[in-house]
Amino acid sequence: QAQLVESGGGLVQPGGSLRLSCAASGFTLDYYAIGWFRQAPGKERQGVSCISSSGGSTNYADSVKGRFTISRDNAKNTVYLQMNSLKPEDTAVYYCAATVQAMCANEYDYWGQGTQVTVSS
């Protein structure tokens, strides 16, 4: 069964850091671009970052640019989102998603279950 599983979420103080992981099972991520999304209560889902299948291209939402870094380790079939200088407004459920396209896309084919990130003092 093809699945994406996010992990690494939790409670962190403002200014702190978390690293989220997106691990694939049942398929290989090598040929997929991966996006990270988040959804806060009462808000629409927002694109956070994405990375091409090769890792050669990345994109970031303006709200996280300079603070978040997306990376991938295809050997581990895993994509990461390093989140630094976290702010309360970063609080959301974070999802990873895979598209069969090599480059970042508007629509994705596979989604994880999400991991909660809470930034609070």
Side-chain angles (χ1 to χ4, degrees):
Q1 184 178 1
Q3 289 184 312
L4 294 172
V5 179
E6 303 94 336
S7 62
L11 175 64
V12 64
Q13 294 184 357
S17 298
L18 287 172
R19 188 176 76 158
L20 305 184
S21 298
C22 174
S25 63
F27 69 106
T28 300
L29 287 181
D30 299 47
Y31 313 109
Y32 295 77
I34 304 296
W36 282 98
F37 300 82
R38 66 187 182 187
Q39 187 167 25
K43 301 289 185 65
E44 294 295 315
R45 187 180 64 201
Q46 176 189 28
V48 176
S49 183
C50 62
I51 186 167
S52 63
S53 60
S54 69
S57 297
T58 58
N59 290 83
Y60 299 92
D62 288 342
S63 59
V64 307
K65 197 169 299 181
R67 300 188 296 119
F68 291 11
T69 303
I70 191 170
S71 63
R72 66 191 302 155
D73 186 344
N74 285 346
K76 295 183 177 180
N77 217 24
T78 302
V79 174
Y80 305 96
L81 185 68
Q82 179 68 46
M83 306 186 296
N84 298 327
S85 302
L86 283 162
K87 305 174 180 179
E89 50 263 46
D90 295 319
T91 296
V93 177
Y94 283 71
Y95 302 88
C96 67
T99 173
V100 296
Q101 301 185 63
M103 303 298 292
C104 297
N106 293 327
E107 297 186 0
Y108 288 77
D109 302 290
Y110 304 104
W111 291 82
Q113 85 291 343
T115 185
Q116 177 71 49
V117 172
T118 302
V119 185
S120 176
S121 59

